[in-house]
Amino acid sequence: MKEFLHTSNPRKLTLVSALALSMAIASATSWAREANTKLTAPTSTAATHNYDYEMNVFHPVQAANGMVATEQNLASQIGLEILKNGGNAVDAAVAIGFSLAVSLPNAGNIGGGGFMLVHDAKSNKTVALDFREKAPAAATETMYQDENGEIIPRKSWYTHQAIGVPGTVAGLTKALEQWGSLPLAEVMQPAIDLAEQGYEVSPTMAKLLQVEKDNLGKWPTTKAIFFDGDEPLALGDTLVQKNLAESLKLIAKEGADAFYKGAIAEEIVRDQEAHDGLITKDDLASYEATEREVVRGDYRGYEIVSMPLPSSGGIHIIQILNAMEHLPIKESGVNSAKTISLMAETMKRAYADRSEYLGDSDFVDVPIQELTSKEYAKAIADEVLKGEITPAQEIKPGDLAPYESDQTTHYSVVDKEGNAVAVTYTLNLNFGSGIVAGETGILMNNEMDDFSAKPGVPNAFGLIGGSANAIEAGKRPLSSMTPTMVLKDGKPWLVTGSPGGARIITTVLQQIVNAIDFGMNPAAATNTPRFHHQWLPDELRLEVGFSPDTIQLLENAGYDVSVKPSMGRTQTIQIIDDTMYGYSDPRNPDGSAIGY
Ligand code: GLY
């Protein structure tokens, strides 16, 4: 073990890649966009709370009646209109969910799945809705292995067998039935219009389409939508999605049954059968979104409510925060080498546990109480406070390789009644499997890759998991998606979440810590550079923006530091008294936080 900050063996600074630099430039210039630059002058109300406007250089958007924060401005506008027209936060969240399927096709979806947290102001309860994809009934533990037990490269990424039974339509329609106030057809109409009329391809989308050209271009049904001839649509082209509009109209008219039992289901199954896919009519007809108990913790007097299994996020956010209560990070300061080390050592231990214990709790026993207990956290903190850097292999045997996918999306909504919604949903990779199912216009997920394709051995992404996350018929793959709320006096104080694969957990963690420990408003908290350690690989990942001195201190201490492009894209709303402060992460320049 090497003692923290006391080794005399400085290593070479990791070179910042050209990509990292271009991300940094994109991030900086994105401040020019309108929605997030409506700077709100400090008011007497804000000044009396935890925002120190002298300290916080960046400022959130401020509103009194309702606020949305999403990664795509068209969807934000649609959500805000719903709120202005009398809809509640769930109405707006459902409208945004369907709209992002049109306007953010790389991650927004109706062919994928996700998680929703709803805080219902009337009952003052927060509930979790799980609409994660499921493995089809015909799925088997070895379905991505050849006859020698070797993983078949990319089979769980870009094939019809990579597709899990989608959950988004069941989730969004169930949320609306349960907590919404407007008819389904009304909240879906803006998405239908957007799909029919089309919208301009942004620089971000043009770039993503180019990156995924080969994966998208091999499927005629996908190419017909996202290409002009043999080239993906380019900046300024209009993306019209007529078939998707027809599917959305069917759902608006017939409800979720159109997707799971009706014409859309038939077309999905026809496409699956034509390409050796496993999803059957029964798989679709039997899919249900599930309401679950949120996972709860407390941190320095605030209540943390987050997503339970099959998300690993809530459990590990609470586990890490519990340990951090014993760590003097306020004294060591935001993003100092000492703070980064204390937090990284805690993160490592949580991610080691993730690989061992976590899977779909409907199928495996997970020691949730133990993992989230204050006693266990104290033991972790005691280890961390020894001030040593523990090599990953000494924490637990096994291996957890990096998970690079971050093509998920998060959005947050708050209304004037005090209802709050946090949604993180995904197709898994960029544009999911890249497969549009037949004539449906619907891009399908490749969420099956979130299972361990072979427990104990890296899957096609290099991700390793234990048998708890092995493939089983009807099981949900383990996720890192972490829609989270921090409550104060029982009411939402912070509503947040992020894409970012395995880095979602540490991104959301830092959003919370920056708010609670360092008194940052959502804008300042978001713009603070992020770091991440996930146990294995034994690498401390830093965003661009850390000082060379800090990096040097960490390297001197023994960390294998790697500076990589941006991490996470949080969409955050903070509520102090009756004022909402929103912020859309400028790491995606297409997003916006807007309120009224
Ligand atoms: N597909 C990424 C996740 O669910 O964590």
Side-chain angles (χ1 to χ4, degrees), residues 282-323:
D282 277 353
D283 287 323
L284 287 165
S286 61
Y287 185 90
E288 279 181 18
T290 307
E291 203 177 309
R292 297 191 189 273
E293 284 273 317
V294 291
V295 54
R296 284 176 195 279
D298 58 82
Y299 180 64
R300 304 197 201 277
Y302 292 82
E303 195 179 348
I304 314 295
V305 280
S306 192
M307 194 66 208
L309 290 165
S311 169
S312 58
I315 288 171
H316 292 309
I317 285 268
I318 288 165
Q319 181 186 8
I320 296 171
L321 288 173
N322 281 344

Side-chain angles (χ1 to χ4, degrees), residues 70-283:
T70 88
E71 271 202 84
Q72 216 285 332
N73 186 40
L74 293 168
S76 294
Q77 286 176 14
I78 286 168
L80 186 65
E81 278 310 301
I82 295 275
L83 291 179
K84 281 185 174 169
N85 292 335
N88 66 24
V90 174
D91 296 321
V94 173
I96 291 168
F98 282 113
S99 300
L100 286 171
V102 181
S103 64
L104 191 77
N106 56 304
N109 68 83
I110 59 172
F115 303 131
M116 179 185 287
L117 284 195
V118 178
H119 181 86
D120 177 43
K122 223 183 262 169
S123 61
N124 211 27
K125 286 207 172 94
T126 316
V127 291
L129 190 62
D130 166 7
F131 53 97
R132 182 77 162 160
E133 298 91 329
K134 281 183 165 184
T140 62
E141 192 172 340
T142 55
M143 64 186 280
Y144 301 117
Q145 300 172 24
D146 65 18
E147 58 281 5
N148 300 318
E150 302 299 329
I151 297 296
I152 304 166
R154 297 159 78 94
K155 189 175 176 190
S156 59
W157 297 4
Y158 301 126
T159 70
H160 283 73
Q161 296 91 44
I163 302 171
V165 182
T168 297
V169 174
L172 295 181
T173 52
K174 183 167 175 146
L176 193 73
E177 274 162 30
Q178 213 115 317
W179 305 289
S181 67
L182 298 177
L184 181 62
E186 192 173 331
V187 299
M188 288 190 68
Q189 194 57 46
I192 295 167
D193 293 343
L194 200 56
E196 259 179 346
Q197 290 158 19
Y199 59 89
E200 250 187 44
V201 171
S202 72
T204 314
M205 194 191 295
K207 197 167 120 191
L208 287 175
L209 285 168
Q210 268 303 331
V211 169
E212 301 300 336
K213 180 178 168 181
D214 292 345
N215 297 326
L216 299 175
K218 66 181 181 219
W219 305 105
T221 49
T222 309
K223 202 172 170 188
I225 299 167
F226 295 102
F227 279 55
D228 181 6
D230 283 331
E231 280 302 312
L233 294 180
L235 172 64
D237 284 348
T238 303
L239 173 56
V240 175
Q241 298 173 81
K242 294 274 185 212
N243 285 353
L244 180 58
E246 292 310 310
S247 290
L248 290 168
K249 280 184 202 167
L250 280 174
I251 297 166
K253 193 163 159 232
E254 298 167 20
D257 276 359
F259 188 94
Y260 291 99
K261 295 176 180 163
I264 300 171
E266 274 170 32
E267 185 62 359
I268 291 173
V269 171
R270 190 191 63 74
D271 190 56
Q272 284 279 301
E273 286 172 352
H275 297 92
D276 295 327
L278 301 184
I279 297 175
T280 63
K281 277 188 179 172
D282 277 353
D283 287 323

Side-chain angles (χ1 to χ4, degrees), residues 459-495:
N459 69 2
F461 280 103
L463 185 71
I464 293 176
S467 56
N469 191 33
I471 304 169
E472 275 185 67
K475 191 175 175 183
R476 291 169 152 105
L478 190 60
S479 172
S480 298
M481 294 188 288
T482 315
T484 299
M485 294 185 196
V486 178
L487 310 184
K488 194 177 180 194
D489 304 323
K491 293 194 167 59
W493 180 78
L494 194 76
V495 183

Side-chain angles (χ1 to χ4, degrees), residues 5 7 9-14 337 542 546-559 561:
L5 303 183
T7 62
N9 182 22
R11 296 193 209 157
K12 226 167 45 161
L13 289 185
T14 311
L542 303 183
F546 287 86
S547 78
D549 319 50
T550 306
I551 295 172
Q552 188 77 69
L553 282 169
L554 290 162
E555 292 195 319
N556 289 355
Y559 283 109
V561 175

Side-chain angles (χ1 to χ4, degrees), residues 132 403 405 408 426 428 447 450 478-481 501 504:
R132 182 77 162 160
Y403 187 72
S405 161
T408 294
T426 188
N428 195 25
E447 218 69 58
D450 272 349
L478 190 60
S479 172
S480 298
M481 294 188 288
I504 291 173

